[in-house]
């Protein structure tokens, strides 16, 4: 989801830009502490891996293909600070060199694709590890679900930014519904790919996976085979659950086309009055069917994202002690 | 850049995963000599190379370069004295252009300006890679990469060269050019290789390493003529290759 | 994006635009993109002017139009989104060929298309006339943290190698009868990606060892030898001023 130039208003671009710059600053410092003078080669080559993985298409269904986004994957493998840092570098280079995503859109693109997915995804991953068995199987499931939800979180973040910075009149709840709906599907793919990728790393070099450094190595070696069916089922269950919850809130948002017919002209005037002094973009609130409810949804979503990213940050800081000795790790035997 | 002797005593090293890669390795190489390090995969050759300039620190034993022991606080000077050419040239060439890559080492030594430019030019000329300065390393051919990798090390004007599998993946012409370059260099050279004819051509002396220690040491032609020894350590001459004939026709 | 993509970004040439100091070029491009993004959508004339300036720069850079257009394909997904806007947006309706479309939505679509197209074109001109390494050098001189530009440099250096590793893994699977049809069949490919990550990480450690053995102590040596000429800045700021002035006039008059 590389938004182009001018997709959100200038104010939103600047505000999200400030948040992203702050987040990259924090990540840079933490990455430095975690990797020491290995920071540049390790983060650089890992960024190349994430970039390359994004270019690699996997089958999804009926001839369509998808690819990894990699925010949660990077965070689980390398920790949320390094993870968000390298995905941010990928996003910035894609905008500057590949014209993929706008340069003035970097504020929200970095925030949504790097910061929210890495910190949010990592927080979900760690939370899931508290309830799931702390074995290789548990790690695969936790990674998959966290990666899937990180994509949904990213879509939600974009919808919230839309609330403040819409550049054309599509109401918040339509954007929210569409973004979350589409990204639930994308999230299933992201989850499956991330889960198996993390599983392969855990099997080969569990010591490299930052997100499981505190787990018992012998328990991680205990691998029961994970059936594709079980995994798909779990993914489906989680997305269904999520979709139900979201739709409970967002149900008042009818189909866009229908909406256009029904709202013609008359809503805009009415809403203007109610939200005259609100910080929200007129475009995003114009035509809301049930405005307080929609804003409540937006508020709840905002709290969830802030909480997830905040928890990711806390986890990053707390894990720093144990992650620190990685920099001093001696190399693995060469072959 | 005068060549320096290398003295290795009772080197022992165990990886964090418990694998003991070096198990009492002893070796003495006089200044300016070229020695081939032979042996099967997993014998500890690469691990040994990483001890030569302090990338790995031994559990026991020592490596000495000239009068300097490889250990803190002398690592900067040791790394100036010992040039390590890694097996994968792609791991060694990490800067955006050949010029910057060759300049990386001497710049870390504090050189700037004309002196730095001179080092870069001399090193590239020594390996016959002048003219490649502005190329991106990933656009070079395999043979060019290998020679530039050597130049990145030569630019530091080392006294000892340690080369890990310098001929792997090279075509015959690239291999020939490399032999000529290495023969023209005055440094003490430790050459890790599976390429036995290459070892014979380049090095008068060879040692066989297996199980993390030296198991044979002598003139290369003699070692390569010992079928028992070769078989015992998973080495094999190319079909039809006779070291005694090769040495006579050199 | 294909694995060979990285090679097609830069188009070798000797134009003034190619020779310009990267920091001046990047600064000019950045000001121009901001100007485009802040130009009010109603000021259609201003977008025409922006496009005119861009056309002059493309011509001066001796970039073939086909090259720019081909690279512009990257924004196609957003053209799709933009074309949907008039159908889903609210507000006053206008009849176009018998279909009711949102007037605001049409403006929104125009806004997205114009800004995305111009913004991407500016990036394409910069990347098309500046080698990757010079772009990073320019960013560094514009005070972007060195660690970030170094990470980006290592990323670009190893991108092709790692993409190639992934591609080989896929080829090996296809050669052994792997027929991917749906997501469930992606498991071996995802596992291969995990293995490639391990190899990438180990490569990172080897590169670090190679850096250490050449005297690296934690900070990259400063190799800056290039001098920026004043004319580069004059040229760059000329373009930037044209774009900024257009945007300012457009904001004031609409």
């Amino acid at each position: 989801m590389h938004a182009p130039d001018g997709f959100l208003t200038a104010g939103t671009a600047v505000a999200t830009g400030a948040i992203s710059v702050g987040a990259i600053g924090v990540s840079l410092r933490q990455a430095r502490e975690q990797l020491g003078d290995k920071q540049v080669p390790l983060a650089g080559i890992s960024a190349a891996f994430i970039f390359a993985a994004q270019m690699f298409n996997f089958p999804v269904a009926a001839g369509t293909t998808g690819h990894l986004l990699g925010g949660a994957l990077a965070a689980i493998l390398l920790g949320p600070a390094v993870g968000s840092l390298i995905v941010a570098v990928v996003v910035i280079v894609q905008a500057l060199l590949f014209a993929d995503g706008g340069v003035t859109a970097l504020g929200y693109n970095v925030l949504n694709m790097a910061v929210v997915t890495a910190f949010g995804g990592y927080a979900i991953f760690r939370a899931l590890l508290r309830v799931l068995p702390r074995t290789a199987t548990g790690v695969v499931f936790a990674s998959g679900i966290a990666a899937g939800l990180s994509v949904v979180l990213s879509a939600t973040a974009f919808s919230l930014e839309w609330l403040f910075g819409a550049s054309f009149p599509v109401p918040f709840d339509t954007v929210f519904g569409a973004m979350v709906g589409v990204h639930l599907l994308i999230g299933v793919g992201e989850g499956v790919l991330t889960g198996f990728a993390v599983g392969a790393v855990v099997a080969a070099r569990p010591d490299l996976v930052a997100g499981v450094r505190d787990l018992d190595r012998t328990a991680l070696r205990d691998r029961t085979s994970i059936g594709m069916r079980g995994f798909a089922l779990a993914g489906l269950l989680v997305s269904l659950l999520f979709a139900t919850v979201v739709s409970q809130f967002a149900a008042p948002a009818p189909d866009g086309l229908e909406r256009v017919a029904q709202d013609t002209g008359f809503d805009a005037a009415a809403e203007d009055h109610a939200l005259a002094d609100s910080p929200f973009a007129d475009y995003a609130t114009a035509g809301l069917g049930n405005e307080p409810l929609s804003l409540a949804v937006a508020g709840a979503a905002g709290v969830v994202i802030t909480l997830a990213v905040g928890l990711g940050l806390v986890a990053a800081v707390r894990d720093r002690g144990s992650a620190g000795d990685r920099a001093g790790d001696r190399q693995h035997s060469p072959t | 850049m005068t060549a320096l002797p290398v003295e290795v005593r009772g080197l022992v090293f165990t990886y964090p995963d418990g694998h003991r890669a070096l198990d009492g390795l002893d070796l003495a190489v006089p200044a300016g000599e070229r020695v081939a390090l032979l042996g099967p995969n997993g014998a500890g050759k690469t691990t040994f190379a990483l001890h030569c300039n302090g990338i790995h620190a031994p559990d026991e034993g020592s490596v000495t370069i000239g009068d300097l022991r490889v250990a803190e606080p002398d690592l900067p000077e040791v790394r100036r004295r010992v040039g390590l050419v890694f097996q994968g040239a792609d791991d060694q060439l990490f800067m955006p252009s050949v010029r910057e890559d060759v300049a990386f080492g001497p710049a870390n030594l504090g050189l700037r300006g004309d002196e730095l430019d001179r080092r870069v030019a001399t090193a590239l000329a020594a390996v016959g890679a002048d003219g490649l300065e502005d190329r991106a390393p990933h656009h070079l051919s395999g043979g060019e990469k290998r020679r530039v990798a050597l130049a990145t090390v030569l630019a530091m004007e080392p006294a000892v060269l340690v080369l890990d599998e310098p001929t792997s993946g090279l075509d015959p012409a690239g291999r020939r050019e490399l032999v000529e370059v290495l023969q023209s260099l005055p440094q003490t050279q430790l050459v890790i290789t599976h390429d036995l004819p290459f070892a014979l051509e380049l090095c008068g002396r060879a040692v066989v390493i297996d199980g993390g220690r030296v198991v044979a040491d002598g003139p290369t032609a003699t070692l390569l003529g010992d079928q028992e020894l070769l078989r015992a350590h998973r080495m094999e001459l190319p079909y039809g290759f006779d070291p005694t004939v090769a040495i006579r026709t050199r | 994006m294909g694995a060979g993509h990285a090679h097609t970004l830069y188009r070798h040439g000797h134009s003034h635009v190619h020779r310009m100091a990267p920091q001046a070029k990047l600064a000019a491009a950045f000001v121009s993109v901001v100007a485009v993004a802040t130009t009010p959508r109603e000021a259609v004339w201003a977008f025409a002017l922006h496009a005119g300036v861009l056309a002059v720069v493309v011509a001066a850079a001796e970039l073939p139009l086909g090259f720019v257009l081909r690279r512009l394909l990257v924004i196609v997904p957003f053209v799709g989104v933009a074309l949907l806007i008039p159908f889903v947006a609210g507000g006053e309706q206008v009849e176009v060929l018998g279909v009711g479309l949102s007037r605001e939505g049409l403006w929104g679509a125009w806004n997205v298309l114009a800004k995305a197209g111009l913004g991407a074109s500016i990036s394409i001109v910069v990347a098309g006339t500046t080698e990757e390494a010079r772009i990073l050098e320019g960013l560094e001189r514009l005070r972007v943290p060195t660690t970030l530009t170094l990470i980006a440099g290592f990323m670009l250096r190893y991108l092709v190698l790692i993409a190639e590793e992934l591609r080989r893994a896929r080829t090996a699977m296809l050669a052994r009868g792997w027929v991917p049809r749906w997501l469930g069949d992606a498991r071996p490919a995802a596992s291969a990606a995990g293995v490639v990550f391990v190899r990438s990480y180990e490569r990172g450690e080897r590169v670090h060892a190679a850096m250490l053995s050449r005297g690296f102590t934690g900070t990259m040596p400063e190799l800056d030898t290039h001098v920026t000429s004043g004319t580069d800045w004059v040229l760059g700021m000329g373009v930037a001023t044209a774009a900024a002035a257009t945007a300012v006039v457009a904001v004031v008059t609409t």
Side-chain angles (χ1 to χ4, degrees):
Chain A
M1 169 73 221
H2 293 78
D5 289 303
F7 211 74
L8 296 178
T9 55
T12 314
V14 171
T16 51
I19 299 173
S20 292
V21 166
I24 291 177
V26 170
S27 295
L28 265 175
R29 233 194 7 258
Q30 284 187 8
R32 172 100 220 164
E33 280 174 40
Q34 187 184 331
L35 300 178
D37 64 6
K38 286 184 181 182
Q39 181 188 24
V40 165
L42 279 184
I45 295 175
S46 301
F49 166 75
I50 294 293
F51 200 152
Q54 290 188 355
M55 306 193 311
F56 195 80
N57 284 320
F58 294 93
V60 175
T64 58
T65 59
H67 64 79
L68 267 170
L69 302 170
L73 176 64
I76 293 165
L77 292 177
L78 298 158
V82 182
S84 72
L85 180 64
I86 65 174
V87 180
V89 170
V90 169
V91 171
I92 292 169
V93 168
Q94 281 169 340
L96 281 178
L97 267 67
F98 292 77
D100 201 2
V103 170
T104 59
L106 275 176
Y108 38 97
N109 281 344
V110 166
L111 181 60
N112 298 342
M113 290 193 284
V115 179
V116 168
T117 54
F119 284 102
Y122 190 76
I124 297 170
F125 173 75
R126 294 298 300 185
L128 285 170
L129 277 188
R130 282 171 200 276
V131 291
L132 289 172
R134 304 186 127 212
T135 60
T137 314
V139 169
V140 167
F141 273 90
S143 311
I145 296 167
L149 290 181
S150 77
V151 175
V152 175
L153 221 51
S154 171
T156 310
F158 178 83
S159 312
L160 284 178
E161 289 149 19
W162 184 259
L163 188 58
F164 295 94
S167 67
F168 48 86
V170 177
F172 163 76
D173 50 10
T174 308
V175 169
F176 183 66
M179 285 294 285
V180 170
V182 169
H183 284 84
L184 270 173
L185 290 178
I186 296 176
V188 172
E190 180 81 2
V192 168
L193 297 176
T194 303
F196 285 134
V198 171
V201 181
V202 167
R205 292 273 317 256
D207 56 312
L208 287 193
V209 184
V212 302
R213 188 135 317 123
D214 55 336
L215 299 194
D216 182 16
R217 291 275 165 84
T218 46
L220 285 178
R221 230 170 269 140
D222 170 38
R223 287 172 62 81
T224 48
S225 173
I226 306 140
M228 187 59 223
R229 196 168 300 168
F231 204 40
L233 212 68
L236 212 63
L237 223 74
V238 171
S239 22
L240 266 180
L241 198 78
F242 207 79
T244 319
V245 173
V246 169
S247 65
Q248 283 304 306
F249 291 105
D255 170 58
L257 277 170
E258 227 174 290
R259 162 124 249 161
V260 169
Q262 149 197 346
D263 291 347
T264 313
F266 106 104
D267 274 321
E271 309 300 333
D272 256 8
H273 172 70
L275 288 162
D277 291 324
S278 82
F280 304 122
D282 290 345
Y283 282 144
T285 49
L288 282 185
N290 188 338
E291 177 191 298
L293 184 56
S294 290
L295 295 183
V297 174
V303 169
V304 168
I305 292 180
T306 315
L307 214 68
V309 172
L311 284 173
L313 267 169
V314 169
V317 175
R318 200 191 42 222
D319 295 352
R320 201 164 52 194
S322 63
D325 42 67
R326 166 189 250 186
D329 263 1
R330 288 198 288 206
Q331 258 180 294
H332 206 63
S333 341
T335 44
Chain B
M1 116 181 92
T2 47
L4 287 172
V6 178
E7 177 87 33
V8 184
R9 278 205 196 143
L11 212 55
V12 174
F13 180 76
T14 309
Y15 278 100
D17 59 6
H19 170 59
R20 175 166 282 217
L22 297 178
D23 192 16
L25 191 140
D26 294 293
L27 182 66
V29 182
E33 189 175 43
R34 289 196 290 267
V35 179
L37 307 183
L38 312 174
N41 287 334
K45 303 186 298 294
T46 297
T47 306
F48 167 60
L50 292 171
H51 279 79
C52 290
N53 67 357
I55 301 297
H56 284 343
D59 302 332
E60 289 168 39
S62 66
V63 179
T64 311
I65 310 295
D67 56 352
L68 215 57
R69 193 173 155 159
V70 179
E72 291 289 7
D74 296 321
L75 283 185
E77 174 57 16
V78 163
R79 286 172 182 166
R80 197 198 63 73
R81 290 184 180 186
V82 180
L84 188 53
V85 181
F86 285 71
Q87 183 168 357
D90 276 313
D91 298 339
Q92 181 124 15
L93 305 176
F94 43 79
M95 296 293 278
S97 72
V98 167
R99 183 198 311 280
E100 288 163 273
D101 221 313
V102 178
F104 179 84
N108 280 326
L109 301 179
L111 298 182
R112 294 292 182 276
D114 291 343
E115 173 65 5
L116 186 59
D117 292 345
R118 191 192 62 75
R119 287 282 187 104
V120 173
T122 313
L124 284 172
V127 299
D130 22 0
L132 298 179
E133 286 86 347
D134 293 314
R135 298 272 295 279
H138 51 282
H139 291 157
L140 301 176
S141 75
E144 288 170 337
K145 270 186 200 171
R146 202 60 64 105
R147 280 182 287 135
V148 172
L150 181 57
T152 64
V153 165
L154 290 180
M156 300 180 75
E157 301 193 339
V160 177
L161 283 176
V162 181
L163 301 110
D164 195 354
E165 293 284 357
T167 60
S168 69
L170 288 190
D171 60 18
R175 184 170 168 280
R176 158 92 359 242
E177 288 159 2
L178 187 71
V179 169
E180 283 162 9
V181 169
L182 292 177
Q183 281 174 336
S184 72
L185 295 174
Q187 281 92 349
T188 310
Q189 293 177 31
L190 304 183
V191 186
I192 296 171
T193 188
H194 288 302
D195 184 343
L196 302 183
F198 171 75
L200 182 65
E201 187 172 359
L202 188 66
C203 307
R205 175 182 167 202
V207 298
V208 177
I209 295 176
D210 203 353
R213 55 173 71 206
V214 172
V215 293
D217 186 344
T220 312
T222 312
L223 292 193
L224 296 192
D226 185 344
Q227 290 296 325
E228 280 303 300
L229 178 76
L230 294 187
R231 207 165 316 131
H233 301 290
R234 302 177 60 82
M235 290 185 287
E236 203 171 274
L237 290 165
Y239 180 76
F241 183 85
D242 184 341
T244 52
V245 175
I247 206 92
R248 250 183 279 128
T249 54
R250 186 160 67 183
Chain C
M1 274 190 273
H5 206 90
H7 298 296
T8 62
L9 296 178
Y10 174 71
R11 200 181 161 90
H12 190 67
H14 301 282
S15 72
H16 281 293
V17 185
H18 280 84
R19 286 199 308 263
M20 207 167 151
Q23 62 271 36
K25 207 187 302 188
L26 281 166
F30 185 70
V31 172
S32 303
V33 180
V34 171
V36 167
T38 49
T39 300
R41 59 193 191 181
E42 289 82 5
V44 178
W45 62 268
F47 287 100
L49 265 183
H50 286 312
V53 174
L54 181 69
V56 170
V57 176
V58 170
E62 292 158 16
L63 289 177
L65 199 60
F67 170 81
V68 178
L69 292 178
R70 212 170 30 250
R71 293 235 18 234
L72 260 183
L73 287 177
V74 76
I75 65 162
V76 161
F78 281 93
V79 175
V81 171
L83 293 181
L84 277 178
I85 298 169
F87 295 97
V88 295
E92 186 193 337
Q93 297 288 294
V94 287
E95 191 101 340
V96 178
L97 298 173
V99 185
L101 297 176
S102 153
R103 177 186 291 279
E104 284 285 303
L106 283 170
W107 275 116
W110 153 251
N111 187 50
V112 169
L113 284 180
K115 290 177 180 176
L118 287 168
S121 301
I122 292 171
S123 293
I124 290 167
V125 172
V126 172
T129 58
T130 326
E131 284 157 297
E132 291 165 1
R134 299 286 87 80
I135 290 183
L136 298 178
E137 207 179 290
L139 287 175
E140 210 174 308
R141 299 228 194 99
L142 293 174
R143 302 272 176 274
V144 171
T146 316
T147 313
L148 276 186
T149 59
L150 286 173
I151 291 174
F154 273 77
M155 178 182 88
L156 291 168
R157 164 70 181 89
Y158 290 101
L159 177 60
V160 178
L161 276 181
I162 292 172
E164 185 59 22
E165 276 185 40
L166 282 170
R167 202 189 53 77
R168 276 202 303 269
R170 184 214 291 269
T171 308
M173 283 184 278
L174 291 173
R176 282 183 282 159
W178 177 63
V179 187
R181 262 179 243 95
W182 72 292
L183 192 56
D185 301 324
R187 178 173 183 174
S191 302
V195 173
V196 170
F197 168 77
V198 172
R199 281 213 293 268
S200 306
Y201 194 95
E202 287 170 350
R203 183 192 287 280
E205 285 182 326
R206 289 198 305 273
V207 171
H208 178 246
M211 293 169 77
L212 285 182
S213 73
R214 283 199 271 151
F216 178 67
T217 51
T219 44
M220 296 296 266
E222 194 73 50
L223 294 174
D224 201 317
T225 49
H226 300 262
V227 193
T228 323
S229 82
T231 42
D232 284 345
W233 281 106
V234 172
L235 269 175
M237 284 308 113
V239 171
T241 312
T246 308
V248 169
V249 174
V251 169
V252 172
T253 56
T254 45

